[in-house]
Amino acid sequence: MVHVVDITSPADPRLDDFRDLNSSDRRPDLPGGKGLVIAEGVLVVQRLLASRFEPISLLGVDRRLTELAEDLDGVDVPFYRTTAEIMAEAVGFHLNRGVLAAAHRPPPLELAAVLDGARTVAVLEGVNDHENLGSMFRNAAGLGADAVLFGGATADPLYRRSVRVSMGHVLRVPFATVPDWPRGLGQVRDAGFQLISLTPNPEAVPLAEAMTGEKVALLLGAEGPGLTEHAMRATDIRARIPMAPGTDSLNVATAAAMAFYERVRTG
Amino acid sequence: MVHVVDITSPADPRLDDFRDLNSSDRRPDLPGGKGLVIAEGVLVVQRLLASRFEPISLLGVDRRLTELAEDLDGVDVPFYRTTAEIMAEAVGFHLNRGVLAAAHRPPPLELAAVLDGARTVAVLEGVNDHENLGSMFRNAAGLGADAVLFGGATADPLYRRSVRVSMGHVLRVPFATVPDWPRGLGQVRDAGFQLISLTPNPEAVPLAEAMTGEKVALLLGAEGPGLTEHAMRATDIRARIPMAPGTDSLNVATAAAMAFYERVRTG
């Protein structure tokens, strides 16, 4: 059972995992950034508590403790109960969600384990925007995609903003790194996946026609540069999202959602 | 031709339209919020200059003036040229985009004019998140939807963040208000549009089957509450986005993108 600890000072060292979140998690690689996973708000904290992520402690107001009572059943960590004002002072900004949880990063999942049983996966190359990453996981969860893979330099999906924008789905939808990018895509192909590059190139095959595999891996690059030619060459087919002339490419999470939708529509 | 005016002090009153943007445009209805339309960055400024919106002035660094030279041909307003530091001080935050334009709000477009010639329109009820509005316009532009209509209380699409997130497409994709909501939907139906409610309700018709009209109007509500029953009753059919069990509804702009995509795919 969670043990409730009342906190009366923002300087209490037991709040250190939640301290100055804005400055420390902006650069989780720097001293002060502990690389902890932070969940904000009842819904995301619930998803954390139901995930493979192991909570360290929670910080919140009494009302949130009540709301989370069922989810906290059997969870053996402290709940630091305090006022909204003390929370704001410790955290460094006002949180209208009223509850936070800190968790350890679990060891990364193995690519083979993530692919096992999956039917639709997204593979991201160089996506370095945390909001886009969060939206990607939210869309994957919402439209039933099974996993997200990272190839090339991609931002940290467990960064606080990403967790929040994903509505906690980054804690649920499994993810793994494709080693030796893009050569490691061979492992995805060997697991039975059709490898599909998404591109705005009007000469590519329309998305709906391209996805013929029983299992598909959809490769997406960052907005702007898109996929590298190197990565596209490693795939089986190039598929295009139909785009109006004179517009920019879609947001990468939106482009992925089209493809996930197409899988659900035809699946 | 644009006339270049060098500015050497952040207090120069000629910069007043760009002053303290963060505080004034958060509440454009309050004193200090002039309700001007602000475009940020070369791409969005280019879209502004090519739109029906009438620019008042521009503020930027010399490099951006050079980049915009062609777009500014025939534009008879001042370009306030200054340093990044003076810009930041006047605007109230650091702008890494290096150029801003201020424009008047044009008179609202008439619903009939916006519907004329349109084939696919989104109709938003109670969408009050500026980023979602911006994403909606970006997706409409990218996937060839023709217009966005507002029914019920919807946030201001010309708010600065909305303009930015839309990548300037809110200045290009026409929008209008449906009067006497939701009764005014009759005018949309009379213009030949099939009225389709989008809902996560699993009992609704799958999106791909629901859109049978040559012209369609897709109704979407805000995340969370969704469309009111009142609005749904005024439509011809309820269509659902296929969703994985146990997830939340999709972001409203993403849901719209699915429907726009479906139109492009089958159109």
Side-chain angles (χ1 to χ4, degrees), chain A residues 43 47 138 141-144 169 172 207 223 242-244 246-251 254 257-258 261-262 264-265, chain B residues 43 47 138-139 141-144 169 172 207 223 242-244 246-251 254 257-258 261-262 264-265:
Chain A
L43 180 69
R47 290 191 171 141
R138 181 180 175 187
L143 292 160
H169 289 298
R172 297 176 75 205
L207 180 59
E223 278 180 65
M243 292 288 302
T247 60
D248 329 275
S249 62
L250 291 171
N251 170 290
T254 306
M258 309 284 112
Y261 167 75
E262 190 63 56
V264 178
R265 188 181 68 77
Chain B
L43 180 69
R47 289 190 172 142
R138 180 179 176 188
N139 291 346
L143 292 160
H169 289 298
R172 296 176 76 205
L207 180 58
E223 277 179 66
M243 292 288 302
T247 60
D248 329 275
S249 62
L250 291 170
N251 170 290
T254 306
M258 309 284 111
Y261 166 75
E262 191 62 58
V264 177
R265 189 182 66 78

Side-chain angles (χ1 to χ4, degrees), chain A residues 135-200:
Chain A
S135 301
M136 178 72 64
F137 278 87
R138 181 180 175 187
N139 292 346
L143 292 160
D146 302 296
V148 178
L149 307 180
F150 300 119
T154 293
D156 179 3
L158 296 176
Y159 175 93
R160 187 166 60 87
R161 184 192 294 267
S162 171
V163 175
R164 184 175 68 229
V165 173
S166 82
M167 300 182 80
H169 289 298
V170 71
L171 308 170
R172 297 176 75 205
V173 175
F175 58 88
T177 297
V178 178
D180 189 18
W181 183 257
R183 219 170 323 185
L185 282 169
Q187 192 182 336
V188 183
R189 183 182 283 115
D190 290 347
F193 285 80
Q194 181 193 17
L195 302 181
I196 302 174
S197 299
L198 289 187
T199 163

Side-chain angles (χ1 to χ4, degrees), chain A:
Chain A
M1 185 54 200
V2 71
H3 29 287
V4 178
V5 179
D6 283 305
I7 299 283
T8 55
S9 160
D12 193 312
R14 289 172 291 187
L15 303 192
D16 282 357
D17 285 347
F18 300 102
R19 199 169 302 287
D20 296 331
L21 285 182
N22 257 343
S23 51
S24 60
D25 85 338
R26 227 172 245 157
R27 294 293 303 275
D29 50 322
L30 289 185
K34 298 187 182 188
L36 297 179
V37 178
I38 302 288
E40 300 167 75
V42 169
L43 180 69
V44 178
V45 169
Q46 284 172 325
R47 290 191 171 141
L48 172 69
L49 294 173
S51 76
R52 69 191 167 100
F53 290 75
E54 195 189 315
I56 301 166
S57 61
L58 292 94
L59 168 62
V61 298
D62 187 62
R63 189 169 142 224
R64 299 304 182 213
L65 174 60
T66 311
E67 288 170 11
L68 287 164
E70 261 184 57
D71 307 278
L72 288 168
D73 192 36
V75 175
D76 187 26
V77 299
F79 186 107
Y80 298 121
R81 179 168 60 182
T82 189
T83 63
E85 292 67 34
I86 289 176
M87 269 186 86
E89 210 167 320
V91 168
F93 54 93
H94 181 72
L95 276 154
N96 50 21
R97 290 187 175 83
V99 67
L100 294 166
H104 290 296
R105 283 171 188 254
L109 298 173
E110 290 293 332
L111 178 56
V114 167
L115 291 175
D116 187 37
R119 199 181 150 264
T120 304
V121 302
V123 189
L124 309 184
E125 184 189 45
V127 175
N128 48 24
D129 179 287
H130 291 106
E131 290 201 27
N132 284 349
L133 276 179
S135 301
M136 178 72 64
F137 278 87
R138 181 180 175 187
N139 292 346
L143 292 160
D146 302 296
V148 178
L149 307 180
F150 300 119
T154 293
D156 179 3
L158 296 176
Y159 175 93
R160 187 166 60 87
R161 184 192 294 267
S162 171
V163 175
R164 184 175 68 229
V165 173
S166 82
M167 300 182 80
H169 289 298
V170 71
L171 308 170
R172 297 176 75 205
V173 175
F175 58 88
T177 297
V178 178
D180 189 18
W181 183 257
R183 219 170 323 185
L185 282 169
Q187 192 182 336
V188 183
R189 183 182 283 115
D190 290 347
F193 285 80
Q194 181 193 17
L195 302 181
I196 302 174
S197 299
L198 289 187
T199 163
N201 186 338
E203 285 169 25
V205 180
L207 180 59
E209 293 168 32
M211 296 199 294
T212 55
E214 168 56 28
K215 298 180 183 180
V216 304
L218 299 149
L219 273 77
L220 299 112
E223 278 180 65
L227 286 169
T228 60
E229 184 58 31
H230 203 44
M232 284 203 270
R233 281 213 193 110
T235 65
D236 302 315
I237 190 166
R238 302 183 190 203
R240 68 175 163 85
I241 303 278
M243 292 288 302
T247 60
D248 329 275
S249 62
L250 291 171
N251 170 290
V252 63
T254 306
M258 309 284 112
F260 298 154
Y261 167 75
E262 190 63 56
R263 289 289 281 172
V264 178
R265 188 181 68 77
T266 57

Side-chain angles (χ1 to χ4, degrees), chain B residues 12 24 28 33 47 53 58 63-64 98 115 139 141 152 154 167 169 185 187 211 228 230 250:
Chain B
D12 192 312
S24 59
R47 289 190 172 142
F53 290 74
L58 293 93
R63 188 168 142 225
R64 298 305 181 211
L115 292 175
N139 291 346
T154 293
M167 301 184 80
H169 289 298
L185 283 169
Q187 193 183 335
M211 296 200 294
T228 61
H230 203 44
L250 291 170

